[in-house]
Every structure is written in structure tokens, then in C-alpha cells.
Amino acid sequence: MPKATPTASATNRPALRRNQACRPCRKRKLKCDAARPHCGTCVKQWQSLISVPAPPDYAHPVEPQCVYDPVDGLALAPDTNPLDKIRLLEEEVSKLKIQLQEQRNNGLSGPSQQPLRRLSQLRPGSASSSSNLESGSQATSSVQTPSLPYPEDRIIPGHMHDSDRRNNSNSPELYEVRHKSSTDTILEIIYSGWNPDLPERSVLEHYIDVFFKCDPCGPRILHRPSFLAAVRLDPRDPSFPHSAILHAICASASRWSSRDVATLPDGTRRDEFAEFHASKTRQYIDKTMANGQDIFPVVQACILLAWYFYQEGRWVEIWIFAGFQTRVAIPLRLNYPGTFSTHNTASPGGYLPPPKDLRDLESRRRTWWTTIIFDRIVSVGGWIHAIDERDVGTELPLRGEDFDSEQLMPSNPQDMCTEDVFTTHLPKYTDSFLLLIKAIMMFGRVTDFNVRGNLRAPTAPSKFQNPFELSGFADLDRLVYNDFLENLPTMFKMTSANELPGNHGSVDTDLYMVHIIPHAATITLHNPYLDLTDLNRISTSRCINAARAILSAYFKLSETSLDISRLHPFVTICWYLAAVVQVQVCKHFIEIGDETREDQVWGEINVLRQAMINYGARSPIGTRQEKLLQGLMREIVRLTSQKQPLEVGLPLYPFSHTTLFAMPTLPENAQMAPLPNPSTSHSMEYDSPVFIRDSGSLDLYCRPPDNPPPLQLSWSPHELQQSLRPESGLVRWSYRT
């Protein structure tokens, strides 16, 4: 192939003489045009460099690094040894300290105080900024960055000039003290060891307290008593919590104690304070993945941040973090019994040493199991799990009360290989969180069955197919629909909020999820085979019963004063699955022209929609799921004869005119449900629920109005009056035939 003819500019350009090219081009043996101040080759390489974001703790050069040999008598700056440069900088710092000391002794206000004043104004977490906001001053930025733990009496407000201080206080000694405090503050910045990206200590402790009280997901992996004690240590102490965990806690707790929240056009919220700390957590994760330092606390911070993304409904980041943290936990050998393996220790990889004590062992167990259930939750939509259940060898964790008290307990004898792990619950190794793990792992089996069946099947599942002919379907259906709930221990078959001495009643949010996850799993298992035209089809009755059970559980929760946004975020997925079934039922009634029952189903759909919207007031995942549901409802909205189908309401109780869309009014002596505390175990009284059977369950919707159904899914007024007494905070799921 003939070579390209050189351009006129290239042919007319005179050849460069020796050493006329820049030093970088000569070193890398590249062509150089000797342009000044920077040659074209260096400029192109610099532009390529700055087009990519800089890694953490690294800054791109502000201009091309193009250096020439001395020409025309101009001498270049000699190459400086890095050690000499450090020495020069230290000397410069010493000179500045001497000047600062002289200014303090002379009582002068030098320009070095101006940055401090601006710093005190711009830090939203500091005491001075709070006072400025209270006095009506406008913040200079909407992004709230954390601050150092400055005492209030050491900060000089930026709007107070030197002359004002002298005029307001005729005592030169008072001005001298204030000026000295400013200098001490600068020294505190240098020598305190406090991470300047974290809020001041009092604010940080507030967010940690809110995190343990309100967050329904993350606190399980941390030992609360020792963590709270470690936060009070000196920041330079080796036992002080890792900054990545503290940043992740600030991001998660900001949901319950917001500082700077903006509402986006789509109705979701954006918390600038939380986003700042989430970005800082990601920087620590990137740094640790590069050097491997402090890998276990950073993995814990990764889990906390993943739950934050889940409550935000940011699915791309959710899937990335779910796969990332599960794969990182494998080289740490957290999937082995005792979270440590003595086999094949000579293989390459960075493994953790054996657990130091019971607290360390249980922290590793809970970190591993939280990673696994997060992977199962985000795979509900039909994704393959990152870790197969057969590769989970870690025993189940201990109860929360045993973990907090550090009581010496033998390891839990149950793991995922234990026979009847979903139907056998040992009393000394069972609490609501352990039952929640089992419920989510059971849901994971449903996901595995659907994914693997679709992967190998020549055609997609059809409503004309009998699923019970598939291998393993009948056993899984029996476990999900009946066996799991029927074999719960008596004290966990219902959730109670009995008043304890000195405490208000509470609703166990974990146990609430234990009772509705099996219904959501039933819908996921049977929905591909749902056929509303076949009244005798088992999959149809399973889906309808499960959807109405989830709706009934929400009605019963509405009897309490618990803010539903404090539930586990997975509840929005359960509501969504129930609403999907209701949408199909509503479409069926539209097609057969049954407006009466269509109106009833519209009300039930809107109840679930409103539940998602209310949850989305704090966690955007609720709003995002409601928007997704509206996309599925477009067809029935177009076909319905209702004038305003999305505004059809359903009475909360048969004898009440109060709806779920009205703000509840509570008497002064009504019991308020406090924030959930997952690690606290309550003594409860429960009644056994009566579950709906298949016979006639479809008649609830599909029989003509003049033929009353033999099965009614409701509560009698007597039951409701008993459950609504102020002295009883009982939450029931009672189905009667």
C-alpha cells in the first residue's frame, strides 16, 4: 500500500536540531514540533489525561508537563529533589507559624484570619453556621459539607469586624482571649486527628443514634454497645470506627434527620448531605480495593451504602454493589463455618485471621448473612444470584440479644444445609431477624426455581401449563404457601405491641415482614400461571389469596401509629407484587363488565399505591415502585368506565368513614409506636391465624353479585373493637371463614 503524501506544512517545516525537542518527547521518543510554551504532542497527552476523572488522592497537572533545554540564554529551573522540596515546605510552614505568633502577640488582625472566618461561615455543621442561619443570613451553598468539632466559643463569626469587637468590648483582655481561641482552632485542625469530612462529634453522635434507632437494615452488622463506646475514643485511637463506616452511617441516618433535601420534578427527594457522605464512602471503597487495607470494615461500609442505594431505588448501583460485596466476601472466607477455614491456607489471596472473640465472630456472621439476603432481595425480579445457596456454609447467626450482651453461646447448629431449616426453629436460636433471614432465603429458592426453569425451558411459562407437573414445584409451593407460616413458633405467629414497664408498645417490623414475604413469594411462584378465566386453577387462587393477605396485613398495620416509612424497604416490593395481581383482576372485571367489583378492586389498588407514595416520602424506592405500577395500569386506565380511577378510595374498616388517604387523628392517651429496635426482644401474646384454603377462594371475586361468596376475607366489628383499644397495641392477621 503506497504511503500517504506528506502535507505542505510538514514538508516545509525545517528539521529540528539536536536537543530542540522538549524533554518529555525525547525521553519517550515521540515526534515534537517544539512549539512554545508547550509542544503539540504534550498538549494532546495532557488533554487525554484530564478527560478522565482523577483517582482518589491524586490531582491532574494544571498544564502540560513540557520542559525544554535552555535556549537563547534562558535557564530552566533545575529538577528539585522531593526531599529537598519537603524540607523547603517545612521551613515555609515554620516561618508562617512564627508570623502568626507575632501577630497574636502584637494584637493585630492579619489576613490569615480571613480564611478562618470564611470557614466558619461555610461549614453547615458548625455552631457558627447554625447561628448565622438562625439569624437570617443566607447560606452560600446548598451543599452541606461536614465540619470539624469546633467549640462554639472558639469561632469568630465572619460578619464581625475587628473594630466591632473593640467597640463592643472595651476590654483588650477579652479580645486577646478570642484571638487566641482562633489560633488554637487552627492548631486543633492540624493536630486533633479528626477527619475534616465528618460532622462535628456531637452531630455525628446524633446521626449514629438515629441510625441505630430508625434504620431497619444496616444496624444488624454492628455491635451497638462497643461501637458507641468506640465513637467516644480519640480519633487517632486504633479502636476508633473506620471513617468509611461513619460516612455510610451519616448517609443512611440522614433519611430520618434530613438537613438539606430537595424535591426533584419526578417527586423523589435528593439529600445533598447524604450524597456527600455516600461519595466519601465510595472513595474509601475504591481506595481499599486498590491497596487491600482495612478490608473488613470497608466491606461493612459497602453493605451500609448498598442498603442506602436500595432505599433510594437506584437499581444500577444496587446491582453493582450486590455483586461486588458478595464476591469480595468470598476471599475473606466468610462463607465458611465459623467465618474462617483452616483448609488450603497456602492459596493466594488476602484472608482474614481467625476471629478474636465472640463479638468478632458474630460480626462476621452477620456481615455475611446481610450480604446474602441483600443479594436475594435485589434478585427478586428474576436475576441469577451472585452466590448459590449450596456455597453458603456459614451457620446462621445468634439472636440479637445474645449478640448485644456478648453472652457465651454455642454456634447456631442450623445452616442452609440443615434439613427442615425453614420449618424447624430452635427456641434459643430464634428471633425475628433470624426468621427474616429464613423467609428471604425461602424467597430466594423461588427465584432460583423460576430463573433456572426459564433458562432451560424451550418456551416461556404459560397460563395453560400445569406447574405442578414440573419437578420440585409442588414441594416448593407447599413450603411457601403453607408450611413456613404454620410452623412458626407460637410466640412469633403474630406481632404484638404489649406495653412494657417504662416503655411504650412497639411494632416488630422484622416480624411483620416475616408474615408477608411468604405471600409475595407465592405470587412470584404462581403469577406466570395465573388464569382468571379458570375458576378451578390453583395458581389463580394462590395469587388472589396472597395479594389480599398482603393488603389485609397493611390494613392491620394501619391500626397502629407506626410510620410505615420505618418498615423494611423490601415491603414496597411486596406491595407492588400484590398490586400486580389486583391489576390483572381489575382488567378481568372490566372485560366482563362487572363495575361493582371493579370499583372495589380499584380501591384496593389505590390503597397499595398510596402506601408506596407514603413510604416514598422518606425513601424514594416507594415512589419509584408506584411509578412502575402506574406503567402497568395504563391499559386498565384506558379501558375502565371509571371517571377518576386513580382516586377511588376504600374505607379503612367496614363501619368507618376514615380512609387511608386521611391523616390519622389519635387521642392524647393513644399508644405511639416508637422507633423499631431490631436487637430488642419483647415478650408477646399471640393467637394462631386461620389460613384461607383454596376451596371457593376465587368466588370472592368471580361469583355474580346476587350469589354471596362462601368465603369472606375481613374482620368482624368485635375483633376490630378489641384490637383498637388504647391499652392494647395488638396487630393481628385474622382470616375467618
Side-chain angles (χ1 to χ4, degrees):
M1 181 176 179
K3 295 183 178 180
T5 306
T7 60
S9 60
T11 55
N12 297 334
R13 183 185 304 155
L16 297 179
R17 291 178 297 178
R18 182 179 179 84
N19 295 342
Q20 277 191 322
C22 68
R23 290 180 178 178
C25 290
R26 295 208 311 267
K27 183 177 181 180
R28 290 174 294 194
K29 297 183 179 180
L30 300 176
K31 290 186 178 180
C32 181
D33 57 9
R36 302 301 178 97
H38 311 297
C39 73
T41 303
C42 291
V43 170
K44 290 180 180 178
Q45 292 190 348
W46 175 73
Q47 291 175 344
S48 301
L49 178 65
I50 64 176
S51 63
V52 180
D57 302 329
Y58 176 80
H60 288 314
V62 296
E63 61 181 8
Q65 303 298 303
C66 188
V67 182
Y68 288 92
D69 288 342
V71 178
D72 299 333
L74 296 178
L76 294 178
D79 294 335
T80 305
N81 190 320
L83 296 178
D84 295 338
K85 190 173 183 180
I86 293 175
R87 179 179 54 80
L88 293 174
L89 291 175
E90 290 178 346
E91 293 177 355
E92 190 69 21
V93 170
S94 300
K95 293 179 181 179
L96 292 176
K97 286 183 178 180
I98 294 174
Q99 294 179 6
L100 187 62
Q101 184 68 21
E102 292 177 352
Q103 291 179 359
R104 185 185 65 176
N105 295 336
N106 296 332
L108 299 177
S109 176
S112 61
Q113 292 179 350
Q114 300 303 324
L116 178 62
R117 296 173 184 169
R118 291 192 294 269
L119 181 65
S120 64
Q121 287 179 321
L122 294 177
R123 289 190 182 274
S126 61
S128 64
S129 64
S130 302
S131 60
N132 289 342
L133 291 176
E134 293 175 359
S135 62
S137 61
Q138 298 294 328
T140 58
S141 174
S142 61
V143 180
Q144 294 194 357
T145 51
S147 63
L148 285 171
Y150 299 151
E152 183 175 358
D153 58 349
R154 289 188 175 185
I155 298 180
I156 302 176
H159 61 274
M160 184 180 294
H161 299 284
D162 300 338
S163 58
D164 297 335
R165 288 195 295 271
R166 292 194 184 96
N167 294 335
N168 295 336
S169 175
N170 296 324
S171 172
E173 289 79 12
L174 178 59
Y175 168 67
E176 180 69 17
V177 170
R178 290 187 179 181
H179 193 81
K180 183 175 181 179
S181 299
S182 302
T183 306
D184 293 341
T185 303
I186 297 177
L187 297 178
E188 184 179 357
I189 297 175
I190 300 174
Y191 299 112
S192 66
W194 188 266
N195 186 344
D197 292 326
L198 291 172
E200 59 189 45
R201 186 181 290 271
S202 59
V203 176
L204 178 63
E205 291 179 353
H206 164 72
Y207 277 109
I208 292 174
D209 182 63
V210 170
F211 171 75
F212 278 105
K213 287 183 178 180
C214 299
D215 193 273
C217 306
R220 277 56 173 274
I221 65 176
L222 301 175
H223 185 254
R224 180 176 182 175
S226 62
F227 188 87
L228 295 179
V231 171
R232 298 184 178 92
L233 297 175
D234 186 271
R236 291 164 293 189
D237 192 291
S239 299
F240 190 78
H242 197 281
S243 294
I245 295 180
L246 297 177
H247 282 298
I249 288 176
C250 288
S252 300
S254 181
R255 187 179 315 279
W256 318 103
S257 183
S258 303
R259 305 186 67 175
D260 187 8
V261 180
T263 303
L264 301 181
D266 60 353
T268 58
R269 64 198 293 275
R270 181 176 179 83
D271 191 334
E272 297 293 347
F273 179 83
E275 287 300 310
F276 172 83
H277 288 283
S279 65
K280 289 297 178 182
T281 307
R282 299 187 71 161
Q283 291 180 12
Y284 280 103
I285 295 173
D286 295 339
K287 182 179 179 180
T288 298
M289 292 305 104
N291 56 30
Q293 295 180 357
D294 303 323
I295 189 167
F296 182 69
V298 172
V299 168
Q300 289 183 313
C302 180
I303 294 173
L304 300 182
L305 187 62
W307 282 118
Y308 166 77
F309 287 141
Y310 188 84
Q311 296 189 72
E312 290 288 308
R314 292 154 61 166
W315 294 110
V316 174
E317 291 163 301
I318 291 169
W319 293 325
I320 292 175
F321 271 73
F324 171 77
Q325 64 195 21
T326 49
R327 297 308 306 175
V328 170
I330 295 300
L332 302 182
R333 303 203 170 187
L334 299 182
N335 63 319
Y336 279 79
T339 67
F340 181 76
S341 173
T342 57
H343 307 295
N344 197 22
T345 54
S347 59
Y351 305 129
L352 295 176
K356 297 178 295 184
D357 48 27
L358 176 63
R359 183 200 309 168
D360 190 19
L361 171 61
E362 187 63 16
S363 296
R364 296 187 187 186
R365 284 196 195 116
R366 288 173 168 262
T367 299
W368 167 255
W369 278 108
T370 305
T371 300
I372 293 301
I373 64 175
F374 183 82
D375 175 56
R376 265 56 187 173
I377 285 176
V378 302
S379 302
V380 164
W383 309 102
I384 299 175
H385 295 143
I387 300 294
D388 192 279
E389 183 181 304
R390 294 168 294 184
D391 300 324
V392 180
T394 311
E395 63 277 358
L396 290 170
L398 302 177
R399 295 181 301 179
E401 59 185 74
D402 296 330
F403 178 45
D404 287 345
S405 63
E406 298 188 66
Q407 181 178 354
L408 290 177
M409 289 282 295
S411 297
N412 195 323
Q414 289 188 320
D415 56 27
M416 294 313 299
C417 296
T418 304
E419 187 177 1
D420 299 332
V421 65
F422 297 111
T423 56
T424 302
H425 311 289
L426 305 178
K428 292 185 178 180
Y429 298 94
T430 300
D431 64 4
S432 56
F433 177 58
L434 284 162
L435 292 175
L436 178 63
I437 292 177
K438 293 182 178 182
I440 294 175
M441 295 302 295
M442 182 182 65
F443 205 141
R445 287 194 176 183
V446 173
T447 304
D448 284 335
F449 183 88
N450 290 342
V451 171
R452 291 168 181 169
N454 296 337
L455 191 63
R456 299 289 186 264
T459 58
S462 170
K463 64 181 181 180
F464 305 107
Q465 181 181 1
N466 182 10
F468 288 89
E469 297 178 355
L470 301 175
S471 176
F473 185 91
D475 294 337
L476 187 58
D477 169 71
R478 187 183 309 109
L479 171 65
V480 172
Y481 182 72
N482 187 66
D483 290 354
F484 180 80
L485 287 174
E486 281 197 347
N487 287 279
L488 288 177
T490 304
M491 64 175 301
F492 292 105
K493 282 191 175 180
M494 282 191 171
T495 317
S496 174
N498 294 333
E499 186 174 0
L500 300 176
N503 295 316
H504 293 287
S506 63
V507 176
D508 191 334
T509 56
D510 282 350
L511 197 55
Y512 179 81
M513 296 299 301
V514 169
H515 280 270
I516 69 172
I517 285 177
H519 300 301
T522 299
I523 295 174
T524 304
L525 183 63
H526 286 277
N527 193 59
Y529 314 101
L530 174 64
D531 184 9
L532 293 171
T533 61
D534 186 357
L535 303 183
N536 298 318
R537 194 169 185 83
I538 296 179
S539 292
T540 304
S541 64
R542 292 279 202 269
C543 289
I544 291 178
N545 287 341
R548 293 183 66 82
I550 293 175
L551 182 66
S552 300
Y554 176 70
F555 281 144
K556 300 302 291 184
L557 185 67
S558 302
E559 298 174 12
T560 71
S561 58
L562 179 71
D563 181 4
I564 65 170
S565 64
R566 293 172 182 167
L567 294 173
H568 196 285
F570 188 47
V571 72
T572 60
I573 306 298
C574 299
W575 291 337
Y576 174 80
L577 292 173
V580 168
V581 174
Q582 299 294 75
V583 168
Q584 298 178 69
V585 173
C586 185
K587 181 181 177 182
H588 173 73
F589 288 151
I590 293 175
E591 292 174 348
I592 66 176
D594 191 339
E595 296 184 0
T596 302
R597 284 179 287 183
E598 176 198 344
D599 182 74
Q600 176 189 355
V601 179
W602 270 117
E604 295 172 349
I605 293 174
N606 289 332
V607 166
L608 295 173
R609 285 184 52 246
Q610 190 64 30
M612 299 179 197
I613 293 174
N614 293 341
Y615 194 91
R618 290 189 187 273
S619 302
I621 185 176
T623 305
R624 296 180 188 276
Q625 289 300 121
E626 194 274 335
K627 296 293 183 183
L628 187 61
L629 178 62
Q630 282 197 28
L632 294 177
M633 295 169 57
R634 291 175 182 173
E635 183 178 5
I636 62 173
V637 170
R638 179 175 55 86
L639 296 176
T640 185
S641 59
Q642 297 282 342
K643 294 183 179 180
Q644 294 179 329
L646 299 182
E647 298 180 6
V648 177
L650 184 67
L652 189 58
Y653 312 115
F655 55 89
S656 173
H657 298 288
T658 304
T659 67
L660 291 176
F661 305 97
M663 295 297 294
T665 56
L666 299 174
E668 294 182 359
N669 59 348
Q671 269 191 332
M672 298 296 293
L675 304 178
N677 187 355
S679 63
T680 303
S681 176
H682 302 284
S683 59
M684 306 177 185
E685 298 178 359
Y686 303 92
D687 298 329
S688 299
V690 180
F691 292 94
I692 303 172
R693 302 301 177 186
D694 290 332
S695 58
S697 61
L698 290 179
D699 296 339
L700 180 64
Y701 280 130
C702 300
R703 286 195 176 191
D706 56 349
N707 188 5
L711 177 67
Q712 185 177 3
L713 182 68
S714 62
W715 308 277
S716 66
H718 175 71
E719 291 175 339
L720 289 172
Q721 291 173 0
Q722 293 294 327
S723 63
L724 287 175
R725 289 178 180 175
E727 66 272 8
S728 173
L730 192 63
V731 181
R732 300 174 182 269
W733 293 274
S734 180
Y735 311 112
R736 64 178 180 86
T737 57

